Amino acid sequence: GGPSTEVAPQGLDSSVALYQQGKKQQARSALEQWLTKQEGHPDASMTRLCLALWELDNQSPKAALAWLSNATFEPALNDVVLNAKADSLRGVKQSEQAIPLLDQLRSNSLSPLSPQAQFDHAETLFESKRYRKALKAYHKALHTYPDYPGKWFARERMASCHEQGSQPDKAITGWREVARAVPERLEGKRAQQHLARLRKKGVRIK
């Protein structure tokens, strides 16, 4: 092969080696430098995706979105790309734009990312202050995946949706259920705080 095929594996290998040595920033820089020279390489799209996921892990959704935009990815990466784009958009407070991406993802029941997408979709509606739709989405997600690890967070959110929808009794019932079920977890503690807030307002809670 030509010089580019000789150089490409070395560039990726050096980045992996730096990462394994714990030199994460240098590893990322090596990847970025490799990518600027190897945009047509078969591994380029995977590299862009890895850099985007890296930025998401570092709480830099704007940078992640830049890696994901105006790029073509292999069909096999579609679900991961959709999920990363949705996370990035939510991170830059553009939840409305994330909703159609999550719709695509959750419609594919065969995807391993589909369960998470169901709950992310509900959460994105909540972030967009579409509380009635969020409540329905949480309910459907919990019905479909009753053993989902984040189910108590979802139930806490459902109670908040009820409060926003002027249904304080249902909100109180929901928060009490969460507070009793997982008192030591963050969801339970937040539920207790919600109930304490209502008591301060003079709301009678058994």
Side-chain angles (χ1 to χ4, degrees):
S4 64
T5 54
E6 293 285 329
V7 173
Q10 292 173 12
L12 287 178
D13 287 346
S14 69
S15 179
V16 171
L18 285 165
Y19 187 86
Q20 289 172 340
Q21 293 167 24
K23 299 175 181 177
K24 294 184 178 181
Q25 291 302 326
Q26 286 143 290
R28 184 172 69 174
S29 295
L31 267 188
E32 290 175 351
Q33 287 171 18
W34 176 85
L35 194 58
T36 58
K37 300 171 185 175
Q38 301 289 340
E39 275 291 359
H41 191 275
D43 291 332
S45 62
M46 176 64 85
T47 304
R48 290 184 77 89
L49 178 56
C50 287
L51 284 164
L53 294 174
W54 199 327
E55 296 292 2
L56 280 173
D57 282 345
N58 286 315
Q59 311 297 315
S60 302
K62 188 175 180 180
L65 204 55
W67 283 116
L68 295 166
S69 300
N70 303 316
T72 303
F73 295 92
E74 298 165 26
L77 300 175
N78 189 49
D79 286 357
V80 180
V81 172
L82 282 173
N83 195 56
K85 281 184 177 177
D87 284 350
S88 301
L89 287 165
R90 291 172 63 197
V92 296
K93 309 297 182 189
Q94 295 180 25
S95 294
E96 288 284 346
Q97 292 183 40
I99 291 172
L101 302 181
L102 290 166
D103 279 339
Q104 287 183 60
L105 197 53
R106 68 195 183 98
S107 67
N108 181 7
S109 59
L110 297 177
S111 171
L113 296 177
S114 183
Q116 182 64 50
Q118 295 274 6
F119 287 90
D120 284 350
H121 177 254
E123 181 66 9
T124 304
L125 288 167
F126 184 90
E127 291 167 355
S128 302
K129 300 184 179 181
R130 293 157 70 175
Y131 300 113
R132 187 178 295 180
K133 287 190 174 183
L135 182 62
K136 288 181 179 179
Y138 281 123
H139 184 80
K140 182 179 179 181
L142 283 170
H143 180 75
T144 309
Y145 304 103
D147 297 322
Y148 177 71
K151 65 181 180 181
W152 292 110
F153 176 81
R155 292 192 178 280
E156 179 202 346
R157 286 299 211 210
M158 288 172 74
S160 295
C161 288
H162 282 305
E163 183 182 39
Q164 294 294 335
S166 301
Q167 295 179 306
D169 291 346
K170 288 186 177 181
I172 290 166
T173 299
W175 282 323
R176 283 173 60 192
E177 182 185 3
V178 175
R180 288 173 178 174
V182 285
E184 298 305 316
R185 284 176 49 171
L186 279 173
E187 297 92 331
K189 289 176 181 177
R190 283 196 300 262
Q192 291 164 22
Q193 290 169 0
H194 283 301
L195 293 170
R197 171 175 56 81
L198 292 177
R199 286 192 185 98
K200 279 187 179 179
K201 287 184 175 180
V203 177
R204 293 185 63 187
I205 300 171
K206 294 179 183 178

